[in-house]
Amino acid sequence: MDKKCVVERLELHHANELFQLIDKSRESLSGWLTFPTYTHSVSDTITFIEKSLKRSEANNGYWSGIWYEGTLVGSIGLLYIDHTMRRTEIGYWLGKDYVGKGLMTNARKQLIRVAFDELNLQKIEIKVATMNTKSQAIPMKLGFTQEGIIRRDEWINNTFYDRMLYGLLKDEWE
């Protein structure tokens, strides 16, 4: 594990730093994600973090920040926790200045360890737009299996996107 890359749950005192990163990366993020279009102020990031903290308290997922050498560079989270099926889905993004440095692979490894070792989940899923080839490389590098394509799974910028579904089982990770 790269000790320079740290994944920690987002707290309210991170709101300003998180908003600044989103604002600086708005254009690059908006091609694949919806949240930049409705994140207009620090109060919007406060609302997001409050919702994440409530989900964490309810044991139904959470979002973390990714810090590299003390700087917030992105975010990664468990979008939900299905306790019956013991699975989750990981969502993630990096600020535009931090893409291509191996940080997301490192952050995902940390979150995968939490999901399998601490939460005792049995499956992790990742969905990536079929057109987003850079993002697809990461689950493949981590040993995820391409399970299929979910057609018209996301609506971004007035366009439907198909998403590739990747899955990783606990016994495949160990």
Side-chain angles (χ1 to χ4, degrees), residues 2-3 12 18 26 43 45 85 113 119 136-137 147 158:
D2 182 352
K3 294 186 185 205
L12 289 174
L18 181 62
R26 186 175 306 282
S43 67
T45 56
M85 295 301 296
R113 280 190 202 98
L119 300 175
Q136 289 176 24
E147 296 185 349
N158 296 317

Side-chain angles (χ1 to χ4, degrees), residues 60-80:
N60 191 28
Y62 61 87
W63 278 90
S64 294
I66 303 167
W67 281 266
Y68 181 68
E69 296 182 338
T71 300
L72 182 63
V73 299
S75 187
I76 188 166
L78 302 178
L79 302 183
Y80 63 86

Side-chain angles (χ1 to χ4, degrees), residues 5-157:
C5 183
V6 176
V7 174
E8 292 181 349
R9 290 191 195 190
L10 287 168
E11 300 288 342
L12 289 174
H13 67 272
H14 299 126
N16 187 56
E17 189 178 11
L18 181 62
F19 175 74
Q20 297 305 320
L21 180 62
I22 292 167
D23 200 41
K24 185 176 181 182
S25 303
R26 186 175 306 282
E27 187 175 325
S28 64
L29 294 172
S30 294
W32 304 113
L33 302 167
T34 58
F35 75 86
T37 60
Y38 54 82
T39 304
H40 303 289
S41 66
V42 174
S43 67
D44 294 329
T45 56
I46 289 171
T47 300
F48 167 75
I49 292 171
E50 287 174 339
K51 287 179 182 177
S52 175
L53 291 170
K54 286 179 184 172
R55 283 184 21 212
S56 179
E57 288 172 15
N59 197 20
N60 191 28
Y62 61 87
W63 278 90
S64 294
I66 303 167
W67 281 266
Y68 181 68
E69 296 182 338
T71 300
L72 182 63
V73 299
S75 187
I76 188 166
L78 302 178
L79 302 183
Y80 63 86
I81 298 174
D82 179 335
H83 294 280
T84 303
M85 295 301 296
R86 294 174 51 200
R87 71 174 171 212
T88 190
E89 180 183 342
I90 294 179
Y92 54 88
W93 60 271
L94 283 174
K96 67 181 177 103
D97 295 336
Y98 306 100
V99 175
K101 301 179 187 299
L103 299 172
M104 189 53 71
T105 299
N106 187 299
R108 281 197 195 162
K109 285 180 182 176
Q110 292 182 48
L111 202 59
I112 289 168
R113 280 190 202 98
V114 168
F116 286 149
D117 297 343
E118 294 177 26
L119 300 175
N120 197 30
L121 299 178
Q122 294 299 306
K123 183 177 184 184
I124 298 171
E125 297 176 341
I126 294 175
K127 295 178 186 173
V128 180
T130 56
M131 306 286 286
N132 191 347
T133 54
K134 285 184 182 181
S135 195
Q136 289 176 24
I138 297 170
M140 296 302 289
K141 188 185 298 185
L142 292 173
F144 280 69
T145 299
Q146 181 181 324
E147 296 185 349
I149 295 174
I150 304 167
R151 299 179 301 157
R152 293 190 179 175
D153 192 49
E154 202 160 33
W155 176 255
I156 300 173
N157 300 323

